[in-house]
Amino acid sequence: MNPILRNILAIIVGFVIGSAVNMFFISISASVIPIPEGVDNTTTEGLKAGLHLFEPKHFLFPFLAHALGTLVGAFFAAWIAASRKLLFAMIIGFLFILGGFVTILVLPSPIWFTIVDLLFAYFPMAWIGYFLAQKKNQKVINKF
């Protein structure tokens, strides 16, 4: 496959799979850690109105969604990319942190969560995804 097409595919696949992982964790969060009574989590306005009722435990799954979505997306981008694998993993990290900034603007969260999320959920996870993809590539190469 043409390396340019493969690199484009790496970004698309990484973003789509990472986004699916992110949405999976967001979708199960309320069933694992129930939201406070009276909070409508079906709309942004409902979440904004009830955010003051959230405890730190309610931010666990959003963090996991952001971190694991980025990790998995970066892994696939680095694994598929034909060259400059770290760059493509970091592109996924950049796309996801952009989403994080948009989320902060649309749905303000406590400052402690914003700091933890922005510092640990995106670029560090993208690097770990790259590192894991390199390990997987080495195992495949060593088999031959």
Side-chain angles (χ1 to χ4, degrees):
M1 176 183 276
N2 180 321
I4 294 172
L5 291 177
R6 187 169 170 171
N7 289 342
I8 292 169
L9 181 66
I11 293 172
I12 293 169
V13 169
F15 185 73
V16 168
I17 292 176
S19 296
V21 169
N22 182 313
M23 289 311 299
F24 170 75
F25 278 95
I26 294 297
S27 69
I28 67 166
S29 66
S31 61
V32 177
I33 300 173
I35 60 171
E37 287 209 26
V39 176
D40 175 19
N41 70 337
T42 61
T43 65
T44 304
E45 292 78 22
L47 278 172
K48 278 184 187 179
L51 201 57
H52 69 281
L53 299 172
F54 280 51
E55 299 173 35
K57 67 181 180 182
H58 295 107
F59 294 95
L60 175 63
F61 271 82
F63 177 79
L64 287 175
H66 301 163
L68 295 177
T70 304
L71 174 85
V72 172
F75 170 84
F76 278 100
W79 188 47
I80 293 169
S83 61
R84 298 181 295 182
K85 295 174 180 290
L86 178 59
L87 172 67
F88 288 97
M90 290 299 155
I91 288 172
I92 297 299
F94 178 74
L95 293 174
F96 275 80
I97 202 168
L98 284 179
F101 282 126
V102 169
T103 301
I104 290 166
L105 294 174
V106 172
L107 188 64
S109 58
I111 192 72
W112 67 265
F113 176 74
T114 299
I115 292 169
V116 168
D117 195 49
L118 293 177
L119 288 179
F120 299 109
Y122 302 106
F123 290 117
M125 291 298 131
W127 184 85
I128 292 169
Y130 159 76
F131 179 76
L132 293 173
Q134 292 301 99
K135 296 283 262 185
K136 180 156 180 60
N137 284 339
Q138 286 298 340
K139 285 183 182 179
V140 171
I141 290 170
N142 290 339
K143 285 186 180 181
F144 293 103

